[in-house]
Amino acid sequence: MYQPQFNVQKQQLLTAEALIRWNHPQKGLVLPLDLIPAAEATGLIILLGEWVINEVCKQHQAWRAAGLPPIRIAINVSMYQLRQLNFASNLQQILLVHDVAAQYIEIEIAETILLAHHGVLPMINELKRVGVRVVIDDFGSAHSSMNYLKELHIDGLKIDPSFVKNIAKIEHDEWVIKAIIAIAKSLNFNVFAEGVETQNQLNFLQNHQCDGLQGYHFSRPIPAESVTTVFKHAYTINEEWSRH
Ligand code: C2E
Ligand code: CA
Ligand code: CA
């Protein structure tokens, strides 16, 4: 499935985040919270992760072939994938096979992975060499230090949804969001928010210049075919917007 992320100021579709689901013949839909830990425990995560990257690149190619404007696709990766020394070069190979420019792929790495496994830092540099974008996911949940952040060659931060949930409820969490946005801007990172479910949350994030917004308020994760519709709609709005 893909969940769209919008640039609200410009009403533009920015990114679609790939979120895995397993349609199990007996169990029905298996969600990542069950699937990913099992795949990690069995070691299957490497193959599964590669399958995800392949599917995303195929989809990118298909959208392009259908004449749609290029979109960025975000991919979540597990610590086990990042620990593989050839992860970046395998990714590069898959991009080549599907003729996808690296700039259209965004790799999301959870903040907890970065802090617990300093060994993945050289991999971030490798990924940057390949040319993909790198974003820290669930930022704010694991207390990165400022010093640490400025050493990272990343493109963006995704604010942890636990803060977004408390907008218009807990002032302290609003301050944290404002601080994260300020840090991101000063380090020249993009800043995104996810788990946006209400108009209040949207207004707050818009007022504080969050670059990209994602959540049920806009769209749930949807199949690739439905993204095509969002694509057309988002770009139609954008064209109207740019005429004003
Ligand atoms: P995540 O990367 O933080 O993804 C966001 C999760 O929040 C997704 O859950 C999404 O469906 C859900 N979500 C989006 N908008 C809202 C909202 O407005 N409200 C609420 N309550 N939830 C929202 P999902 O799809 O169940 O994925 C859970 C986690 O599983 C992801 O968290 C990610 O860490 C992991 N995951 C998903 N796909 C993959 C994958 O292909 N590979 C790996 N390694 N991990 C994956
Ligand atoms: Ca993510
Ligand atoms: Ca997240």
Coordinates of all heavy atoms in Angstrom, one line a residue, residues 1-5 15-23 29-33 35-36 48 51-53 55-56 63 73-77 108 137-138 158 194-195 214-216 219-224 227:
M1 N 0.8 -1.2 0.0 CA 0.0 0.0 0.0 C 0.9 1.2 0.0 O 2.1 1.2 0.4 CB -0.9 0.0 1.3 CG -1.8 -1.2 1.4 SD -3.2 -1.1 0.2 CE -4.5 -1.0 1.3
Y2 N 0.3 2.3 -0.4 CA 1.0 3.6 -0.5 C 0.2 4.7 0.3 O -1.0 4.8 0.1 CB 1.2 4.0 -1.9 CG 2.2 3.1 -2.7 CD1 1.7 2.0 -3.3 CD2 3.5 3.3 -2.7 CE1 2.5 1.1 -4.0 CE2 4.4 2.4 -3.4 CZ 3.9 1.3 -4.0 OH 4.7 0.5 -4.7
Q3 N 0.9 5.4 1.2 CA 0.2 6.5 1.8 C 0.7 7.8 1.3 O 1.9 8.1 1.5 CB 0.3 6.4 3.4 CG -0.6 7.5 4.0 CD -0.5 7.5 5.5 OE1 0.5 7.2 6.1 NE2 -1.7 7.8 6.1
P4 N -0.1 8.7 0.7 CA 0.4 9.9 0.2 C 0.8 10.9 1.2 O 0.2 10.9 2.3 CB -0.8 10.5 -0.6 CG -1.9 9.4 -0.5 CD -1.6 8.5 0.5
Q5 N 1.8 11.7 0.9 CA 2.2 12.8 1.8 C 2.1 14.1 1.0 O 2.6 14.1 -0.2 CB 3.7 12.6 2.2 CG 4.2 13.6 3.2 CD 5.7 13.5 3.4 OE1 6.4 14.0 2.6 NE2 6.1 12.8 4.4
T15 N 5.2 12.8 -1.7 CA 5.8 11.5 -1.6 C 4.7 10.4 -1.4 O 3.6 10.8 -0.9 CB 6.7 11.4 -0.3 OG1 7.6 12.5 -0.3 CG2 7.5 10.2 -0.2
A16 N 4.9 9.2 -1.7 CA 4.0 8.1 -1.3 C 4.9 7.2 -0.4 O 5.9 6.7 -0.9 CB 3.4 7.5 -2.5
E17 N 4.4 6.9 0.8 CA 5.2 5.9 1.6 C 4.7 4.5 1.4 O 3.5 4.2 1.5 CB 5.1 6.3 3.1 CG 5.9 5.4 4.0 CD 5.8 5.8 5.5 OE1 5.1 6.7 5.9 OE2 6.6 5.1 6.2
A18 N 5.6 3.6 1.0 CA 5.3 2.2 0.8 C 5.1 1.6 2.2 O 6.0 1.6 3.0 CB 6.3 1.5 0.0
L19 N 4.0 1.0 2.4 CA 3.7 0.3 3.7 C 3.3 -1.2 3.4 O 2.2 -1.4 2.8 CB 2.6 1.0 4.5 CG 3.1 2.4 5.0 CD1 1.9 3.3 5.3 CD2 4.0 2.3 6.1
I20 N 4.0 -2.1 3.8 CA 3.8 -3.5 3.5 C 2.6 -4.1 4.1 O 2.2 -3.7 5.3 CB 5.1 -4.3 3.7 CG1 5.0 -5.7 3.0 CG2 5.2 -4.6 5.2 CD1 6.3 -6.4 3.0
R21 N 1.8 -4.9 3.4 CA 0.8 -5.7 3.9 C 0.9 -7.1 3.3 O 1.3 -7.3 2.2 CB -0.6 -5.2 3.5 CG -1.2 -4.2 4.5 CD -1.0 -2.8 4.0 NE -1.5 -1.8 4.9 CZ -0.7 -1.2 5.8 NH1 0.5 -1.6 6.0 NH2 -1.2 -0.2 6.6
W22 N 0.4 -8.1 4.1 CA 0.5 -9.5 3.5 C -1.0 -10.0 3.5 O -1.6 -10.2 4.6 CB 1.4 -10.4 4.4 CG 1.4 -11.8 3.9 CD1 1.1 -12.3 2.7 CD2 1.9 -12.9 4.7 NE1 1.3 -13.7 2.6 CE2 1.8 -14.1 3.9 CE3 2.4 -13.1 6.0 CZ2 2.2 -15.3 4.3 CZ3 2.7 -14.3 6.5 CH2 2.6 -15.4 5.6
N23 N -1.5 -10.3 2.3 CA -2.8 -10.8 2.2 C -2.7 -12.3 2.4 O -2.5 -13.1 1.4 CB -3.3 -10.5 0.8 CG -4.7 -9.9 0.9 OD1 -5.5 -10.2 1.9 ND2 -5.1 -9.1 -0.1
L29 N -5.6 -10.0 6.2 CA -4.6 -9.0 6.1 C -3.6 -9.0 7.3 O -4.1 -8.8 8.4 CB -5.2 -7.7 5.9 CG -4.4 -6.6 5.3 CD1 -4.1 -7.0 3.8 CD2 -5.1 -5.3 5.3
V30 N -2.4 -9.3 7.0 CA -1.4 -9.3 8.1 C -0.7 -7.9 8.0 O -0.1 -7.6 7.0 CB -0.4 -10.4 8.0 CG1 0.6 -10.4 9.2 CG2 -1.1 -11.8 8.0
L31 N -0.7 -7.2 9.1 CA -0.1 -5.8 9.2 C 1.4 -5.9 9.5 O 1.9 -6.9 10.1 CB -0.9 -5.0 10.1 CG -2.3 -4.6 9.6 CD1 -3.1 -3.9 10.8 CD2 -2.2 -3.7 8.4
P32 N 2.1 -4.8 9.2 CA 3.6 -4.8 9.5 C 4.0 -5.1 10.9 O 5.0 -5.7 11.2 CB 4.1 -3.5 9.1 CG 2.9 -2.8 8.4 CD 1.7 -3.6 8.5
L33 N 3.1 -4.7 11.9 CA 3.5 -4.8 13.3 C 3.6 -6.3 13.6 O 4.4 -6.7 14.6 CB 2.6 -4.1 14.2 CG 2.7 -2.6 14.2 CD1 1.8 -1.9 15.1 CD2 4.1 -2.1 14.4
L35 N 4.1 -8.7 10.9 CA 4.9 -9.3 9.9 C 6.4 -9.0 10.0 O 7.2 -9.9 9.9 CB 4.4 -8.7 8.5 CG 5.1 -9.2 7.3 CD1 5.1 -10.7 7.1 CD2 4.4 -8.5 6.0
I36 N 6.7 -7.7 10.3 CA 8.1 -7.3 10.3 C 8.9 -8.0 11.4 O 10.0 -8.6 11.1 CB 8.3 -5.8 10.3 CG1 7.6 -5.1 9.1 CG2 9.7 -5.3 10.5 CD1 8.3 -5.5 7.7
L48 N 12.6 -10.0 2.1 CA 11.3 -9.3 2.1 C 11.6 -7.8 1.7 O 10.9 -7.1 0.9 CB 10.7 -9.4 3.4 CG 9.2 -8.9 3.5 CD1 8.3 -9.7 2.7 CD2 8.8 -8.9 5.0
W51 N 12.4 -7.4 -1.8 CA 11.1 -7.5 -2.6 C 10.4 -6.1 -2.6 O 9.9 -5.6 -3.6 CB 10.2 -8.6 -2.0 CG 8.9 -8.7 -2.7 CD1 8.6 -9.4 -3.8 CD2 7.7 -8.1 -2.2 NE1 7.3 -9.2 -4.1 CE2 6.7 -8.4 -3.2 CE3 7.3 -7.3 -1.2 CZ2 5.4 -8.0 -3.1 CZ3 6.0 -6.9 -1.1 CH2 5.0 -7.2 -2.0
V52 N 10.4 -5.5 -1.4 CA 9.7 -4.2 -1.3 C 10.4 -3.2 -2.2 O 9.7 -2.5 -3.0 CB 9.7 -3.7 0.2 CG1 9.3 -2.2 0.3 CG2 8.9 -4.5 1.1
I53 N 11.7 -3.1 -2.2 CA 12.4 -2.1 -3.0 C 12.1 -2.4 -4.5 O 11.9 -1.5 -5.3 CB 13.9 -2.2 -2.7 CG1 14.2 -1.8 -1.3 CG2 14.7 -1.3 -3.7 CD1 15.6 -2.0 -0.8
E55 N 9.4 -3.9 -5.8 CA 8.0 -3.6 -6.1 C 7.9 -2.1 -6.2 O 7.2 -1.6 -7.1 CB 7.1 -4.1 -4.9 CG 6.9 -5.5 -4.9 CD 6.3 -6.1 -6.2 OE1 5.2 -5.6 -6.6 OE2 6.9 -7.0 -6.8
V56 N 8.5 -1.3 -5.3 CA 8.5 0.1 -5.4 C 9.0 0.7 -6.7 O 8.4 1.5 -7.4 CB 9.2 0.8 -4.2 CG1 9.6 2.2 -4.4 CG2 8.4 0.6 -2.9
W63 N 4.1 4.0 -13.1 CA 3.5 5.3 -13.0 C 4.1 6.3 -14.1 O 3.4 7.0 -14.7 CB 3.7 6.0 -11.6 CG 2.7 5.5 -10.6 CD1 1.4 5.1 -10.9 CD2 2.9 5.3 -9.2 NE1 0.8 4.7 -9.7 CE2 1.6 4.9 -8.7 CE3 3.9 5.6 -8.3 CZ2 1.5 4.6 -7.3 CZ3 3.8 5.4 -7.0 CH2 2.5 4.9 -6.5
I73 N 9.1 8.0 -3.7 CA 8.5 7.0 -2.9 C 9.4 6.7 -1.7 O 10.6 6.6 -1.9 CB 8.3 5.7 -3.7 CG1 7.5 5.9 -5.0 CG2 7.5 4.7 -2.9 CD1 7.1 4.7 -5.8
A74 N 8.8 6.7 -0.5 CA 9.5 6.4 0.7 C 9.4 5.0 1.0 O 8.4 4.3 0.9 CB 9.0 7.3 1.8
I75 N 10.6 4.4 1.4 CA 10.7 3.0 1.8 C 11.2 2.9 3.2 O 12.2 3.5 3.6 CB 11.7 2.3 0.8 CG1 11.2 2.4 -0.6 CG2 11.8 0.8 1.2 CD1 12.2 1.8 -1.6
N76 N 10.5 2.1 4.0 CA 11.0 1.8 5.4 C 12.0 0.7 5.4 O 11.8 -0.3 4.6 CB 9.8 1.4 6.3 CG 8.8 2.6 6.5 OD1 9.1 3.5 7.2 ND2 7.7 2.5 5.8
V77 N 13.0 0.8 6.1 CA 14.0 -0.3 6.1 C 14.3 -0.7 7.6 O 14.2 0.1 8.5 CB 15.3 0.0 5.4 CG1 15.1 0.2 3.9 CG2 16.0 1.3 6.0
E108 N 13.6 5.6 4.7 CA 13.2 6.0 6.1 C 13.9 5.1 7.1 O 13.7 3.9 7.1 CB 11.7 6.0 6.3 CG 11.0 7.1 5.4 CD 9.5 7.3 5.9 OE1 9.1 6.7 6.9 OE2 8.9 8.1 5.2
D137 N 12.9 8.6 10.7 CA 11.5 8.4 11.0 C 11.3 8.4 12.5 O 12.2 8.1 13.3 CB 11.1 7.0 10.4 CG 9.6 6.8 10.2 OD1 8.9 7.7 10.5 OD2 9.3 5.7 9.7
D138 N 10.1 8.8 12.9 CA 9.7 8.8 14.3 C 10.6 9.6 15.1 O 11.0 9.3 16.2 CB 9.6 7.4 14.9 CG 8.7 6.5 14.1 OD1 7.7 7.0 13.6 OD2 8.9 5.3 13.9
K158 N 11.1 13.1 10.2 CA 9.7 12.9 10.3 C 9.3 12.9 11.8 O 9.7 12.0 12.5 CB 9.4 11.5 9.7 CG 8.2 11.5 8.8 CD 8.1 10.2 8.0 CE 6.8 10.2 7.2 NZ 6.7 9.0 6.4
E194 N 3.5 13.1 10.5 CA 2.6 12.0 10.1 C 1.6 11.7 11.2 O 1.8 12.3 12.3 CB 3.4 10.7 9.7 CG 4.2 10.1 10.9 CD 4.9 8.9 10.5 OE1 4.5 8.2 9.5 OE2 5.8 8.5 11.2
G195 N 0.6 11.0 10.9 CA -0.4 10.7 11.9 C -1.4 12.0 12.0 O -2.0 12.2 13.1
Q214 N 1.1 14.0 6.4 CA 0.7 12.7 6.1 C -0.3 12.2 7.2 O 0.0 12.4 8.4 CB 1.9 11.8 6.0 CG 1.7 10.4 5.5 CD 3.1 9.7 5.4 OE1 4.1 10.3 5.5 NE2 3.0 8.4 5.3
G215 N -1.3 11.5 6.8 CA -2.2 11.0 7.9 C -3.6 10.7 7.4 O -3.9 11.1 6.3
Y216 N -4.4 10.1 8.3 CA -5.8 9.8 7.9 C -6.6 11.0 7.5 O -7.6 10.8 6.7 CB -6.5 9.0 9.0 CG -5.8 7.7 9.4 CD1 -6.2 7.0 10.5 CD2 -4.9 7.1 8.6 CE1 -5.7 5.8 10.9 CE2 -4.3 5.9 8.9 CZ -4.7 5.2 10.1 OH -4.2 4.0 10.4
S219 N -5.4 10.9 3.8 CA -5.6 9.6 3.1 C -5.0 8.5 4.0 O -4.0 8.7 4.6 CB -4.9 9.6 1.8 OG -4.9 8.3 1.2
R220 N -5.7 7.4 4.0 CA -5.2 6.2 4.6 C -4.2 5.6 3.6 O -4.2 6.0 2.4 CB -6.3 5.2 4.9 CG -7.1 5.6 6.0 CD -8.2 4.6 6.5 NE -8.8 5.2 7.7 CZ -8.6 4.7 8.9 NH1 -7.8 3.6 9.1 NH2 -9.1 5.3 9.9
P221 N -3.4 4.6 4.0 CA -2.6 3.9 2.9 C -3.6 3.3 1.9 O -4.6 2.7 2.3 CB -1.9 2.8 3.7 CG -1.9 3.3 5.1 CD -3.2 4.0 5.3
I222 N -3.3 3.4 0.6 CA -4.2 3.0 -0.4 C -3.4 2.2 -1.5 O -2.2 2.3 -1.6 CB -4.8 4.2 -1.1 CG1 -3.7 5.3 -1.5 CG2 -5.9 4.8 -0.3 CD1 -4.3 6.5 -2.2
P223 N -4.1 1.4 -2.3 CA -3.4 0.6 -3.3 C -2.8 1.5 -4.4 O -3.3 2.6 -4.6 CB -4.5 -0.3 -3.9 CG -5.7 -0.1 -3.1 CD -5.5 1.1 -2.2
A224 N -1.9 1.0 -5.1 CA -1.2 1.8 -6.2 C -2.2 2.4 -7.1 O -2.1 3.6 -7.5 CB -0.2 1.0 -6.9
V227 N -3.6 5.6 -5.9 CA -2.6 6.7 -5.9 C -2.7 7.5 -7.2 O -2.6 8.7 -7.3 CB -1.2 6.2 -5.6 CG1 -0.2 7.4 -5.6 CG2 -1.1 5.4 -4.3

